[in-house]
């Protein structure tokens, strides 16, 4: 809003979350806005119902913010870097099945190209039976799904470094099963 030098007549707000800063499962966010807009948001019944919004997660967030936040974030970044490297190494160990589009330099996900003829949406239920979940690339590009039919988005932040190899082996088995069915 104008108080922050951005113009907008007091109607501009920013919504952020600890999900990307601290951990994927930490579902707690906040709103930055001009005081008048914040008062309107805070006066909604949901926020003033007496129980608070996500009290347990709020307490976890307070502990995180009161602790050495930079140290915590640096530790998480190092953990995620290791998991990303382990995932990419495991994917490269399955020649002809997976192509890492770009090695992750941050974030929680890795984009992977599947072999020709393997549609990610059709692969998903087979992969689930093998104990692996992913997001089909087409679901990340509504309206432009076709170029991403053969891509999957794999999360490396949820599992440990040690689990990456087993997850990729299971995904490879699912891909081979889909390929055999199509042959």
């Amino acid at each position: 809003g104008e108080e922050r030098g951005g113009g907008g007549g007091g109607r501009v707000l920013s919504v952020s979350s600890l999900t990307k800063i601290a951990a994927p499962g930490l579902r707690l966010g906040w709103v930055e806005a001009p005081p008048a807009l914040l008062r309107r948001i805070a006066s909604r019944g949901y926020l003033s119902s007496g129980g608070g919004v996500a009290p347990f997660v709020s307490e976890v967030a307070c502990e995180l913010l009161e602790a050495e936040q930079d140290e915590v974030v640096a530790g998480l970044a190092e953990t995620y870097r290791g998991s990303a490297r382990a995932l990419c190494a495991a994917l490269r160990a399955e020649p002809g099945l997976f192509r890492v589009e770009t090695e992750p330099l941050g974030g929680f996900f890795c984009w992977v190209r599947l072999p020709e003829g393997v549609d990610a949406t059709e692969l998903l239920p087979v992969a689930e039976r093998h104990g692996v979940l992913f997001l089909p690339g087409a679901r990340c590009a509504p309206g432009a799904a076709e170029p991403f039919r053969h891509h999957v988005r794999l999360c490396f932040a949820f599992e440990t470094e040690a689990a990456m190899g087993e997850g990729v082996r299971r995904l490879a088995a699912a891909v081979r099963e889909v390929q055999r069915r199509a042959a």
Side-chain angles (χ1 to χ4, degrees):
E2 290 174 336
E3 290 88 347
R4 295 177 63 185
R11 295 183 309 266
V12 177
L13 61 90
S14 169
V15 179
S16 299
S17 165
L18 285 172
T19 299
K20 298 282 186 192
I21 296 170
L26 196 54
R27 302 291 188 190
L28 183 69
W30 62 90
V31 175
E32 297 174 81
L37 185 53
L38 284 175
R39 280 190 294 278
R40 285 182 59 200
I41 293 169
S43 71
R44 298 293 186 230
Y46 179 70
L47 296 177
S48 61
S49 65
V53 177
F56 175 74
V57 175
S58 296
E59 183 62 29
V60 170
C62 277
E63 291 294 322
L64 172 69
L65 295 173
E66 289 171 358
E68 294 296 321
Q69 183 178 1
D70 292 341
E71 190 177 303
V72 171
V73 171
L76 288 170
E78 186 57 36
T79 297
Y80 296 157
R81 242 187 317 279
S83 294
R85 279 191 223 112
L87 174 62
C88 291
L91 290 164
R92 283 191 295 275
E94 295 287 349
L97 287 186
F98 307 112
R99 186 175 79 220
V100 175
E101 294 292 351
T102 304
E103 288 240 5
L105 298 176
F108 301 139
F109 304 101
C110 181
W111 278 89
V112 179
R113 175 102 162 88
L114 299 170
E116 254 341 286
V118 178
D119 182 286
T121 301
E122 294 171 10
L123 174 64
L124 183 57
V126 178
E128 287 176 343
R129 284 195 304 277
H130 285 265
V132 177
L133 296 173
F134 59 80
L135 187 63
R139 298 230 344 245
C140 298
E146 184 58 32
F148 300 101
R149 281 183 47 227
H150 305 289
H151 289 80
V152 295
R153 188 179 83 160
L154 301 177
C155 179
F156 54 81
F158 188 72
E159 295 292 342
T160 64
E161 222 175 293
M164 295 299 151
E166 179 61 24
V168 169
R169 281 188 289 282
R170 291 177 183 200
L171 183 58
V175 167
R176 289 185 185 103
E177 183 178 324
V178 167
Q179 288 175 318
R180 277 192 305 275
R181 287 183 192 171

